[in-house]
Amino acid sequence: METSGQGRSDGGGAGGQSDPGDRRPPRPRGTGGGILMGRPFGVPVYVAPSWFLVAALITWVFGGQLDRVLPELGRARYLVSLFFAVAFYASVLVHELAHTVAALRFKLPVRRIQLQFFGGVSEIEKESETPGREFVLAFVGPLLSLVLAGLFYLGWLAVEPATVPGVLLAGLMISNLLVAVFNLLPGLPLDGGRMLRAVVWKISGRAMTGTIAAAWVGRALAVSVLVGLPLLTHGGIGDAPADFGGVDSLTDALLAAILAAIIWTGAGNSLRMARLREHLPRLRARTLTRRAVPVVAATPLSEALRRANEAGARALVVVDGQGTPTALVREAAIVAVPQHRRPWVAVGGLAQDLTAEMHVSAELTGEDLLETLRAHPATEYLVTEDTGEIYGVLSTADVERAFVAAMARPSAP
């Protein structure tokens, strides 16, 4: 329903795109999130375990409807209902693939598509560069759902309504129409919310302003769903007072509460992710790097620390006879050595061998820096200039502290 950027997600029911989650910077990227079903356009598609619960619920509810329309089916109606559930989620997948194809067209990497409880999510890893692209990226999902609804309608016209194909085509037409209309509601995290965000972004010139406006509309929408959905289904404007004590009323109230919670939470996550993107450029490898002194492996820890103190450095790099860095002395290992033993412990025994992945450019900033650390988790990294000269040592702990501090700062007005 929504689309994702830097972790955004989008879907065709109550899904959508996803924003860079509030994961800590050094964490490696997760793998799946369910059963891998395939890789259309090179993007993995997963089915979350919660989908099976929804498929069972759809099969049961749609089976009850079939019993009224086609009572001659008997128990076979549940096989037809199961086919409907699968076909509906295939439609959701088409909705998500529309977001995915648009993202790939704009050269935005897509991590995965996940079909889950209330729809689907397309996890697009980067933010759209312009409000126009953001609008297109959000709109293509509901547009494809409308196209599918039209195709199913044309198919329905070509068959007998009171038959299995007729009922299936009618159900798929209505469900895709509902998916499109629901996703076009103008509040985050829905696609309509991202379209609203793009419009406000275009008018104001600031993506953050668009996000704030669309997120608060999304929260208002969540309250409206919580209160309004049960009234719409059982209230009946102008009708006799409804009976709110039955099982159907409780089911509708529960459904409204779940939908409202999803929308409210998604709107809040969108705000947090937008603030993260706004503050990410403040994370710079060059400014976070600790100055380091080179020492050979046989140097006693006490002597190495004395040299570091004299140089105003906070890190130790082990070098070979030619001055080439071979290992980094781990801060945690230094702290673990008692003061009285430091003259007898060589720094080589406290060091971690350097690998190619532990070399980080001093020019890395923001998302590129975090992505590098996620891809190659370590406690310390050797920071080098483009010339290959040692600049210092970057500690994961320093990046985490800077990350938290940046997120704590208020956004610019």
Side-chain angles (χ1 to χ4, degrees), residues 207-244:
M208 188 64 184
T209 302
T211 301
I212 292 172
W216 278 105
V217 172
R219 286 174 169 173
L221 181 62
V223 175
S224 300
V225 168
L226 180 63
V227 176
L229 185 59
L231 292 177
L232 281 174
T233 53
H234 286 279
I237 298 175
D239 294 339
D243 176 14
F244 284 91

Side-chain angles (χ1 to χ4, degrees), residues 3-6 8 10 17 41 43 96-110 124-141 143 194-195 197-198 201:
T3 2
S4 342
Q6 288 182 171
R8 255 186 342 189
D10 102 302
Q17 304 155 271
F41 305 102
V43 177
E96 295 308 321
L97 286 174
H99 290 302
T100 296
V101 171
L104 296 176
R105 175 69 179 81
F106 294 143
K107 301 195 184 315
L108 300 175
V110 181
I124 303 171
E125 297 188 0
K126 290 185 180 293
E127 181 71 7
S128 300
E129 296 177 355
T130 66
R133 289 187 174 186
E134 173 78 354
F135 188 93
V136 171
L137 190 58
F139 180 60
V140 290
L143 177 62
R194 299 204 174 277
M195 293 162 64
R197 174 181 182 266
W201 177 5

Side-chain angles (χ1 to χ4, degrees), residues 254-273:
L254 178 60
L255 175 63
I258 294 173
L259 282 174
I262 290 173
I263 296 172
W264 183 280
T265 303
N269 287 340
S270 296
L271 275 177
R272 281 193 293 274
M273 293 310 104

Side-chain angles (χ1 to χ4, degrees), residues 297 318 329-330 333 345-352:
V318 177
V329 181
R330 294 171 295 122
V345 176
V347 294
L350 307 175
Q352 179 180 8

Side-chain angles (χ1 to χ4, degrees), residues 275-296:
R275 190 169 73 178
L276 167 62
R277 286 193 298 273
E278 189 174 58
H279 293 313
L280 269 181
R282 301 181 185 180
L283 297 180
R284 298 177 173 273
R286 188 175 294 279
T287 57
L288 294 173
T289 296
R290 300 179 179 186
R291 186 177 177 185
V293 295
V295 293
V296 297

Side-chain angles (χ1 to χ4, degrees), residues 193-204:
R194 299 204 174 277
M195 293 162 64
L196 174 63
R197 174 181 182 266
V199 171
V200 177
W201 177 5
K202 179 67 175 179
I203 295 172
S204 67

Side-chain angles (χ1 to χ4, degrees), residues 41-370:
F41 305 102
V43 177
V45 175
Y46 292 93
V47 174
S50 60
W51 177 85
F52 295 96
L53 176 62
V54 178
L57 180 61
I58 292 175
T59 301
W60 177 59
V61 172
F62 195 69
Q65 300 295 325
L66 280 176
D67 193 36
R68 299 190 190 98
V69 179
L70 300 171
E72 66 274 12
L73 286 177
R75 293 188 179 276
R77 67 182 183 274
Y78 291 111
L79 288 176
V80 177
S81 298
L82 179 60
F83 178 83
F84 171 78
V86 174
F88 169 67
Y89 269 88
S91 301
V92 172
L93 177 58
V94 171
H95 176 115
E96 295 308 321
L97 286 174
H99 290 302
T100 296
V101 171
L104 296 176
R105 175 69 179 81
F106 294 143
K107 301 195 184 315
L108 300 175
V110 181
R111 179 177 304 166
R112 66 177 179 176
I113 295 172
Q114 186 182 54
L115 301 180
Q116 52 190 16
F117 189 74
F118 264 107
V121 173
S122 303
E123 295 187 2
I124 303 171
E125 297 188 0
K126 290 185 180 293
E127 181 71 7
S128 300
E129 296 177 355
T130 66
R133 289 187 174 186
E134 173 78 354
F135 188 93
V136 171
L137 190 58
F139 180 60
V140 290
L143 177 62
L144 256 292
S145 292
L146 286 173
V147 169
L148 286 176
L151 292 176
F152 288 127
Y153 174 69
L154 292 177
W156 178 77
L157 291 177
V159 301
E160 287 293 327
T163 62
V164 169
V167 172
L168 284 175
L169 289 168
L172 290 170
M173 174 192 69
I174 294 170
S175 60
N176 276 277
L177 184 60
L178 290 175
V179 165
V181 171
F182 181 72
N183 274 278
L184 286 172
L185 293 175
L188 287 174
L190 305 176
D191 291 326
R194 299 204 174 277
M195 293 162 64
L196 174 63
R197 174 181 182 266
V199 171
V200 177
W201 177 5
K202 179 67 175 179
I203 295 172
S204 67
R206 292 194 69 247
M208 188 64 184
T209 302
T211 301
I212 292 172
W216 278 105
V217 172
R219 286 174 169 173
L221 181 62
V223 175
S224 300
V225 168
L226 180 63
V227 176
L229 185 59
L231 292 177
L232 281 174
T233 53
H234 286 279
I237 298 175
D239 294 339
D243 176 14
F244 284 91
V247 174
D248 288 344
S249 296
L250 291 176
T251 301
D252 290 335
L254 178 60
L255 175 63
I258 294 173
L259 282 174
I262 290 173
I263 296 172
W264 183 280
T265 303
N269 287 340
S270 296
L271 275 177
R272 281 193 293 274
M273 293 310 104
R275 190 169 73 178
L276 167 62
R277 286 193 298 273
E278 189 174 58
H279 293 313
L280 269 181
R282 301 181 185 180
L283 297 180
R284 298 177 173 273
R286 188 175 294 279
T287 57
L288 294 173
T289 296
R290 300 179 179 186
R291 186 177 177 185
V293 295
V295 293
V296 297
T299 306
L301 178 58
S302 58
E303 172 61 17
L305 292 177
R306 184 191 66 78
R307 295 181 193 176
N309 289 333
E310 283 185 354
R314 297 175 55 213
L316 301 173
V317 177
V318 177
V319 297
D320 60 19
Q322 287 73 44
T324 303
T326 60
L328 299 179
V329 181
R330 294 171 295 122
E331 182 181 22
I334 294 175
V335 173
V337 179
Q339 193 80 26
H340 68 277
R341 296 204 67 245
R342 291 181 178 180
W344 318 108
V345 176
V347 294
L350 307 175
Q352 179 180 8
D353 290 341
L354 271 171
T355 63
E357 292 78 14
M358 292 169 65
H359 288 72
V360 172
S361 170
E363 303 304 322
L364 283 179
T365 62
E367 186 181 356
D368 290 337
L369 173 60
L370 296 186

